[in-house]
Amino acid sequence: MIPKILVLPGSNRSGSFNASLAAAASVELASQGADVTRISLIDYPLPIVDEDLKARSGIPDNAMKLGRLIAAHDGVFLSCPEYNSSIPPLLKNMIDWVSLISGDGDRPFKPWRGRYVALGSASDGKFSGIRGLYHVRSVLMNVGTQVISEQCSVGGAADAFDEDGRLKDERTRAMLSAACKSLLTHCSMMNSR
C-alpha cells in the first residue's frame, strides 16, 4: 500500500523558507514512492482558539476540513518556522483547533491520533529553526501523534535552494531524505498491521 503523506508549511508568509522546504519535501517524498498532498494554511483561515466560541458555534469548518485531511493521510510532514525559539502562532492555533475535534457527525473522531509526523524547519539564521522544533515535537506528541526522530533543519535558507527548489547542500539533502524515508517506513509498518 502506498503511504499517503500530507505536507504543510507552518507559515503563510510570501517567500516563506518553510514553504520552500515543504515543496522540497513533497518532491522527495514522491520520489520515494509516497502519494503526496501539499496544502497551505492560508487556504484554511481559523479564529484564535476560544472555548466560548467552540461552545457557541462548535469546531470551525476549516478546522474540520483540516482534521479530515489529516485523518485521510498516514503521515504528515510539517515544515515549521521558529518564532522566538518556539512554535509559531499560526501552526499552534491549527494544531490546537484540530486537537479539539472529538467527533464527526455521530462517530468519534480524533484526527491527530495515530498519525506519524516528520518535522523540518528552515531559517536564514545559524540555528536553522531547530530550537522551535523541540516545542512542536512536544505539542504534537501531546495530541496523540508519533513524531519520528529524524528531522531536517535548513540554515542559511535564503540561499539554500536552487532555481528548481532543491536543496543545494548535500548534507541537508541527506537529512531531508532520511526524514522522509523514516516517515514512509513508519507509515508502511502501520499499514501492514
Side-chain angles (χ1 to χ4, degrees), residues 63-85:
M64 286 302 299
K65 287 176 186 174
L66 285 164
R68 290 180 188 122
L69 261 175
I70 290 163
H73 290 78
D74 303 306
V76 179
F77 187 101
L78 282 178
S79 182
C80 311
E82 175 188 299
Y83 285 25
N84 296 316
S85 304

Side-chain angles (χ1 to χ4, degrees), residues 16-39:
S16 165
F17 302 134
N18 284 281
S20 296
L21 178 56
S26 296
V27 171
E28 180 62 31
L29 286 160
S31 76
Q32 292 189 25
D35 178 1
V36 178
T37 303
R38 182 162 49 108
I39 64 169

